Amino acid sequence: MRILVATRNRHKLDEIRAILKIPGVELVGADEVSGLPEDVVEDADTFEGNAIKKARELCAASGLWTLADDSGLEVDALGGEPGVRSARYAGEPSNAEANNARLLRALAGVGNRVARFRCVLALAAPDGRTWTVDGRCEGRIGLAEAGCGGFGYDPLFIPDGQWLTFAELPAAEKNRISHRGAALAAAAQAWGDWLKP
Ligand code: IMP
């Protein structure tokens, strides 16, 4: 059985393949299937909504079972912002440095720095059914950027139980505790058995 993974990001595809190992299931990236739309507009107001929209549109275009993800950062003191707008928090085009600077400005003088990364994975079947699983990584926003690994908000995010940011931790440690890792583990548990041919 082939499952389309709704991403053109090679790194994401490899990470998903490494964790979601289901015997008899081949995970193919969007670049390996012809006739797919270049981009899906992510205009829903929840991670679930965007992940389902991506999965459904690429499932309809390909006729294949399709897996899609949407992720971002939620900050409690900002009412969950930047949330689904994480990639473009400081405006278009997406710019991680500007996003981090805006986040630090928004939290200047704020004591409650509780935050979490979230990742929602949606699985769409050609007959119209859809399922989702959710992964989270709880933590807090640092007072200044630290570290140069990772991407996005990593230099500002300190996961619970750590003094270092995601950008300072080794990649393997980040992957072990990350929201994406948690969502993929939940997907393997929830869907692994019945996706086996
Ligand atoms: P997407 O789900 O790949 O579209 O990610 C949306 C945005 O959320 C990214 O552009 C980042 O700003 C942020 N984000 C998601 N996951 C991470 C992460 O693991 N580290 C840092 N930022 C992330």
Side-chain angles (χ1 to χ4, degrees):
M1 172 178 184
R2 293 205 314 158
I3 297 184
L4 170 63
V5 181
T7 184
R8 295 183 190 277
N9 178 333
R10 187 78 217 179
H11 174 81
K12 217 184 239 186
L13 182 63
D14 287 345
E15 194 181 320
I16 292 175
R17 278 183 175 144
I19 300 178
L20 204 60
K21 282 197 186 119
I22 305 170
V25 171
E26 185 196 357
L27 298 172
V28 295
D31 280 337
E32 298 161 62
V33 177
S34 55
L36 298 180
E38 198 50 44
D39 248 334
V40 173
V41 182
E42 296 182 26
D43 55 1
D45 54 12
T46 60
F47 297 117
E48 285 81 0
N50 281 326
I52 288 171
K53 187 174 180 205
K54 259 189 276 186
R56 283 252 61 88
E57 281 190 27
L58 269 71
C59 176
S62 66
L64 295 169
W65 284 67
T66 303
L67 185 71
D69 79 317
D70 194 38
S71 61
L73 180 72
E74 287 180 347
V75 180
D76 284 0
L78 303 177
E81 287 268 291
V84 289
R85 298 195 301 129
S86 289
R88 293 165 199 84
Y89 186 44
E92 303 264 9
S94 178
N95 177 330
E97 248 175 68
N99 290 340
N100 285 333
R102 181 172 175 194
L103 184 58
L104 281 178
R105 276 199 308 277
L107 288 177
V110 176
N112 174 11
R113 305 185 76 92
V114 172
R116 72 200 53 77
F117 274 120
R118 289 189 56 203
C119 173
V120 172
L121 285 172
L123 179 67
D127 65 9
R129 290 175 298 162
T130 310
W131 303 263
T132 60
V133 290
D134 187 338
R136 290 165 190 244
C137 181
E138 298 285 340
R140 61 193 187 282
I141 302 301
L143 295 171
E145 291 186 45
C148 48
F151 71 100
Y153 297 94
D154 281 351
L156 285 178
F157 184 79
I158 304 166
D160 282 354
Q162 293 281 349
W163 293 103
L164 300 176
T165 67
F166 260 176
E168 294 175 295
L169 287 170
E173 176 62 7
K174 177 190 167 183
N175 291 341
R176 193 181 67 78
I177 59 177
S178 82
H179 47 308
R180 211 164 288 108
L184 285 165
Q189 170 121 40
W191 305 327
D193 270 347
W194 54 262
L195 284 176
K196 276 183 203 153

